[in-house]
Amino acid sequence: MDLRLLLIATLSAVLGGGWAQQEGSICIKANAQSCGECIQVAETCGWCSDETFLTVGESKSARCDDLESLKKRNCDVAKIENPRGSISIDENKPVTNRKKDVAEKLKPEQITQIQPQKLTLTLRSGEPQTFELKFKRAEDYPIDLYYLMDLSFSMKDDLENVKNLGTDLMREMQEITSDFQIGFGSIVEKTVMPYISTTPARFINPCTGNQNCTRPFSYKNVLKLTDKGDEFNRLVSEQQISENLDSSEGGFDAIMQVAVCEEQIGWRNVTRLLVFSTDAGFHFAGDGKLGGIVLPNDGRCHLENNTYTMSHYYDYPSIAHLVQKLSDHNIQTIFAVTEEFQPVYKELKNLIPKSAVGTLSSNSSNVIKLIIDAYNSLSSEVILENGRLPEGVSITYKSICKNGVEGTGENGRKCSNISIGDEVSFKISIESQKCPSSGKAEPETIRIKPLGFTEEVEIVLNFICDCQCATEGEPDSKKCFEGNGTFECGACKCNDGRIGRLCECSIDEVRTEDLDANCRKDNGMDICSNNGDCVCGTCECKKRENPAEIYSGKYCECDNFNCDRSNNKLCGGHGRCECRKCICDANYTGSACDCSLETSTCLAKNGQICNGRGTCVCGICKCTSPKFQGPTCEICPTCPGVCAEHKDCVQCRAFEVGEKKDTCERDCSYFQLIKVKDLNQLPQPTDQSFSLAHCKERDANDCWFYYTYAIRNDTKEVYVVETLGMIGPAKC
């Protein structure tokens, strides 16, 4: 067919029709040009792949609609492309029920505390997939504990108390686990000025006086993790203290090496505890510049002969770097520090998940109790963390903890007060918001694990970025103009540089004045209302950063986000925005749908609307006369009987007499009382913008008293002359 005839037919359809561009759901308004684009708009959108589905004047995007609309528009259900996401559990070993007193002992790798272990999720944009994850603390779970001790001179007496720690701690830990290993490491400081003295004599023996100290070092791995407590005692007994010049110690260097040197330390895939014992603060990234060290810590193992050899070369690690490595290697840290440095390490604890702080006595005599208490605290809480998420993927957690306590948001990641044998669960939802612009996405893998545990859940993510019918596409199809597209899913998917329902237009040829004229509303100056591009004589509306905000209409003159607002809500939250006009929900009206048609709030006690004295406007009574007041026009300060109605309460409040003298406080607190000297000081009706009643009443002694009654800004006010009598000389 001649190109000019096709263009004329297209323009005629645009001028005379365009139903799909003027009306319809969010699916149509998204202007999807292929099935793959359609199913990414929203999970409710489907694509009709029936080749004969469209009528004259409808664009390709009209194939994309919500499912019910497609059925109403007579698309065969078998031709509706609507792929759904799914969950496949690939590995699902049940959590282990293990007893410490059972003769059979399981290896760490035979114990399961988290279920399932592997899943495959197929994600469609906007459709979350939710699965349940179980966690159960196993009894008699193995523990590795590495004791890292500051051996600067101020810790001399502490070293004496730690020399028997191995056997004593093993005996205590038997109450928790039958499989326990312990190791030992020591720290001092970087071996450069100004952290230590580098003069030959002071380097050999940094201590003053008759003290015999070992030469300074950064970190030594004294004992690899072992189940021999007496070996721990023997090697620790051989240690000597050292000394450094500044007050802060190089603990971060040592903690980094303990975390990353798994083989040298001897870490197993079990509960890993690192106890750091010190009576000083710490250096961190940037402090190395004092010693001329500027290279950032590389987070790698640099132990040679069990000694850290690169302390003079790499700076101290940053806190964030340390947090990452401790998490990567599933290490829970216990800071055993003296009272003086508790505030510092408690702040550090808040930055390091699954860590604890204990107060170390001045000579470390309480270290075993400190470790046991800290371990019980750490192990009673499970916190889930996930690795880096692919772009456009989000994850939410909901915890179902002990006694059915539920948590959402950040609290949905954790459960506390878990005892051995307790089982808790988490509802985890993963959602994809978009696919790559290419329409193809390779599978991604993410991992979820409890902090401080080696077990994890592996989740493979597959993405639905196109429809199944796209695999049957016909490239360079004769059904598309001169073979300029692939015919798939009932429509032409145009090659690069081609546009139009049948790919009949070249991008380079369509920007002409004649075609642009058909994209101007009412022969105006703006092409597509400045909200779109004129393509083949048809407006293609721009897409906004927020996919829920959509331009629509034949000339892109409409949108769904520029309607009137009330209470900072579009259409007051009681309607939808269509073509910059609010379409209100039932029982609401007004330009911003902020006027309720509900009349129940205007009903008076007598069952009448506004007591028959007004009209109900937007749920509020508008009284027909200014003399009527109140929520339902029930109050009339100037009506006959007002003065008598309030007489007794005015008497008891102003003069402490009258029939309500004994119940005054209970019955008469409903108005504000203001006393004035004489009659002339009472408010006058001509001075007020509200109804006012002037009252003259006689008491039991035939004395007159004068007052006014009014309601101003919902406050009842009574002005009363404070003296009794007649006008003129008082007789009372």
Side-chain angles (χ1 to χ4, degrees):
M1 184 184 291
D2 187 83
L3 174 62
R4 288 173 296 176
L5 294 177
L6 274 172
L7 289 176
I8 292 170
T10 302
L11 293 174
S12 298
V14 170
L15 291 171
W19 172 89
Q21 291 179 331
Q22 294 182 33
E23 301 179 19
S25 66
I26 185 176
C27 308
I28 287 181
K29 292 177 181 179
N31 198 31
Q33 296 298 301
S34 67
C35 187
E37 288 185 18
C38 175
I39 62 173
Q40 292 178 49
V41 174
E43 64 169 315
T44 56
C45 297
W47 177 272
C48 186
S49 61
D50 185 349
E51 187 177 345
T52 63
F53 175 65
L54 297 182
T55 59
V56 175
E58 289 185 316
S59 66
K60 278 188 293 188
S61 62
R63 292 182 176 275
C64 183
D65 207 342
D66 64 83
L67 303 181
E68 289 303 314
S69 295
L70 287 175
K71 294 175 185 177
K72 290 178 181 178
R73 294 169 58 199
N74 297 318
C75 180
D76 187 345
V77 174
K79 293 286 187 178
I80 296 177
E81 294 288 329
N82 182 37
R84 313 308 300 176
S86 62
I87 297 177
S88 171
I89 299 178
D90 306 319
E91 189 175 343
N92 194 30
K93 291 188 294 184
V95 291
T96 303
N97 293 310
R98 185 192 190 204
K99 301 294 184 181
K100 192 173 74 168
D101 54 359
V102 175
E104 180 188 4
K105 296 299 179 184
L106 300 177
K107 296 179 180 179
E109 58 270 20
Q110 294 176 307
I111 301 173
T112 301
Q113 297 184 110
I114 193 167
Q115 178 190 4
Q117 295 79 41
K118 186 175 181 179
L119 305 93
T120 298
L121 270 58
T122 302
L123 300 177
R124 175 177 169 179
S125 180
E127 180 190 21
Q129 297 297 323
T130 302
F131 63 92
E132 183 180 34
L133 184 149
K134 296 179 182 178
F135 176 85
K136 183 176 183 179
R137 275 190 65 192
E139 187 173 349
D140 197 27
Y141 195 72
I143 298 173
D144 284 352
L145 184 147
Y146 191 86
Y147 196 90
L148 180 63
M149 185 173 183
D150 171 9
L151 285 189
S152 57
F153 189 78
S154 58
M155 295 286 285
K156 181 181 179 181
D157 55 345
D158 299 79
L159 180 59
E160 291 299 318
N161 282 313
V162 174
K163 288 180 178 179
N164 293 321
L165 179 64
T167 51
D168 293 346
L169 185 58
M170 282 206 146
R171 184 169 53 253
E172 292 292 333
M173 293 299 286
Q174 288 295 323
E175 298 295 321
I176 298 174
T177 177
S178 61
D179 189 354
F180 177 69
Q181 290 194 157
I182 189 170
F184 184 82
S186 57
I187 68 159
V188 181
E189 185 55 279
K190 287 187 180 296
T191 54
V192 296
M193 283 287 288
Y195 312 108
I196 66 165
S197 174
T198 56
T199 60
R202 291 292 300 276
F203 189 73
I204 294 172
N205 183 4
C207 297
T208 58
N210 297 324
Q211 298 290 338
N212 184 23
C213 297
T214 189
R215 66 174 60 200
F217 56 89
S218 176
Y219 161 65
K220 286 183 181 178
N221 177 29
V222 177
L223 176 64
K224 186 175 181 178
L225 287 162
T226 178
D227 58 1
K228 298 177 174 60
D230 53 354
E231 180 71 3
F232 179 97
N233 294 350
R234 184 183 67 80
L235 287 174
V236 173
S237 298
E238 296 174 359
Q239 301 306 302
Q240 288 183 289
I241 58 169
S242 186
E243 183 62 295
N244 58 312
L245 295 180
D246 67 337
S247 58
S248 294
E249 316 297 347
F252 278 17
D253 271 347
I255 293 174
M256 177 63 77
Q257 293 302 299
V258 172
V260 300
C261 298
E262 288 202 3
E263 184 178 347
Q264 291 89 334
I265 302 299
W267 291 117
R268 300 175 296 168
N269 284 331
V270 299
T271 297
R272 298 175 175 183
L273 300 178
L274 168 60
V275 179
F276 177 44
S277 172
T278 184
D279 64 350
F282 48 83
H283 285 300
F284 53 89
D287 289 351
K289 292 180 181 179
L290 294 172
I293 303 171
V294 296
L295 279 178
N297 194 286
D298 66 350
R300 296 181 180 179
C301 182
H302 295 291
L303 290 185
E304 293 183 14
N305 297 321
N306 284 319
T307 301
Y308 180 41
T309 58
M310 302 298 282
S311 70
H312 64 289
Y313 191 76
Y314 289 116
D315 193 5
Y316 303 96
S318 67
I319 295 175
H321 197 184
L322 212 56
V323 169
Q324 176 198 337
K325 292 300 181 182
L326 289 170
S327 175
D328 290 346
H329 295 272
N330 307 304
I331 295 172
Q332 304 177 63
T333 311
I334 301 171
F335 296 105
V337 298
T338 53
E339 184 71 36
E340 178 185 358
F341 287 94
Q342 281 287 306
V344 174
Y345 282 89
K346 283 182 178 178
E347 288 296 324
L348 181 61
K349 168 193 171 294
N350 293 334
L351 301 174
I352 302 179
K354 293 294 282 186
S355 64
V357 178
T359 303
L360 192 67
S361 61
S362 59
N363 59 2
S364 294
S365 58
N366 69 329
V367 68
I368 291 180
K369 183 178 185 305
L370 185 155
I371 291 172
I372 298 294
D373 290 347
Y375 168 74
N376 288 333
S377 173
L378 289 172
S379 60
S380 67
E381 182 176 58
V382 58
I383 303 174
L384 297 185
E385 70 165 0
N386 52 267
R388 184 191 65 83
L389 297 175
E391 183 182 0
V393 173
S394 61
I395 185 168
T396 57
Y397 296 85
K398 178 183 178 182
S399 58
I400 300 93
C401 304
K402 198 172 179 178
N403 299 322
V405 176
E406 296 185 355
T408 56
E410 282 304 304
N411 289 329
R413 292 176 174 266
K414 62 185 179 182
C415 284
S416 303
N417 301 318
I418 304 173
S419 304
I420 291 174
D422 286 344
E423 181 175 295
V424 296
S425 62
F426 298 86
K427 298 285 187 182
I428 302 175
S429 295
I430 300 179
E431 182 176 351
S432 173
Q433 294 296 339
K434 62 180 180 179
C435 284
S437 57
S438 63
K440 298 179 181 178
E442 297 298 323
E444 299 268 6
T445 300
I446 62 173
R447 289 174 169 80
I448 298 175
K449 68 174 184 179
L451 279 172
F453 293 84
T454 56
E455 296 176 66
E456 64 182 16
V457 181
E458 179 182 319
I459 304 170
V460 178
L461 304 180
N462 295 319
F463 301 91
I464 302 175
C465 293
D466 213 337
C467 301
Q468 181 62 33
C469 57
T471 60
E472 304 166 2
E474 178 187 336
D476 305 323
S477 173
K478 293 181 180 179
K479 295 180 180 180
C480 305
F481 182 77
E482 295 182 352
N484 283 312
T486 298
F487 191 79
E488 63 179 45
C489 302
C492 285
K493 186 176 181 180
C494 299
N495 298 337
D496 290 343
R498 304 296 299 189
I499 50 178
R501 179 171 168 177
L502 300 176
C503 312
E504 65 273 21
C505 294
S506 166
I507 291 178
D508 298 328
E509 298 172 354
V510 296
R511 297 186 181 278
T512 65
E513 289 186 7
D514 288 341
L515 292 177
D516 284 352
N518 294 292
C519 295
R520 293 189 177 99
K521 184 179 181 181
D522 300 329
N523 295 319
M525 295 296 294
D526 296 333
I527 294 177
C528 299
S529 307
N530 287 328
N531 296 323
D533 299 314
C534 189
V535 180
C536 274
T538 303
C539 284
E540 291 193 358
C541 302
K542 296 176 182 177
K543 294 183 179 180
R544 292 175 59 84
E545 185 175 344
N546 182 351
E549 296 180 351
I550 297 170
Y551 290 114
S552 60
K554 179 179 176 181
Y555 302 103
C556 303
E557 74 278 13
C558 296
D559 64 58
N560 66 346
F561 54 89
N562 269 321
C563 288
D564 288 344
R565 293 175 178 266
S566 178
N567 292 326
N568 205 30
K569 292 181 179 180
L570 195 66
C571 298
H574 302 301
R576 64 186 186 278
C577 181
E578 289 191 5
C579 204
R580 303 186 179 184
K581 183 179 180 181
C582 286
I583 306 299
C584 298
D585 297 339
N587 287 328
Y588 284 93
T589 186
S591 64
C593 301
D594 53 353
C595 180
S596 172
L597 298 178
E598 178 62 49
T599 59
S600 60
T601 54
C602 295
L603 278 177
K605 293 180 181 179
N606 60 11
Q608 290 184 303
I609 298 292
C610 303
N611 263 298
R613 298 169 174 173
T615 56
C616 189
V617 180
C618 299
I620 299 173
C621 281
K622 301 293 184 183
C623 303
T624 53
S625 171
K627 70 180 182 179
F628 298 120
Q629 301 175 21
T632 56
C633 305
E634 73 278 13
I635 300 171
C636 180
T638 59
C639 291
V642 169
C643 294
E645 179 184 351
H646 303 291
K647 169 188 173 182
D648 291 339
C649 279
V650 173
Q651 264 192 296
C652 77
R653 288 278 302 275
F655 307 109
E656 299 182 358
V657 296
E659 294 182 7
K660 293 195 175 184
K661 175 183 177 182
D662 296 331
T663 61
C664 194
E665 184 175 349
R666 184 193 69 191
D667 297 341
C668 301
S669 302
Y670 59 88
F671 59 82
Q672 180 181 351
L673 182 71
I674 303 100
K675 292 183 178 181
V676 297
K677 294 287 186 183
D678 54 52
L679 197 61
N680 295 328
Q681 292 179 311
L682 290 177
Q684 300 303 311
T686 56
D687 298 336
Q688 311 302 324
S689 59
F690 48 89
S691 299
L692 180 75
H694 266 262
C695 301
K696 174 184 176 183
E697 295 291 333
R698 188 160 52 187
D699 65 12
N701 298 320
D702 282 339
C703 290
W704 295 102
F705 60 95
Y706 303 88
Y707 66 93
T708 62
Y709 179 82
I711 300 175
R712 177 165 52 180
N713 297 329
D714 296 327
T715 300
K716 298 178 177 66
E717 290 183 345
V718 171
Y719 281 78
V720 61
V721 178
E722 62 183 14
T723 57
L724 297 169
M726 298 285 289
I727 298 176
K731 72 171 185 177
C732 295

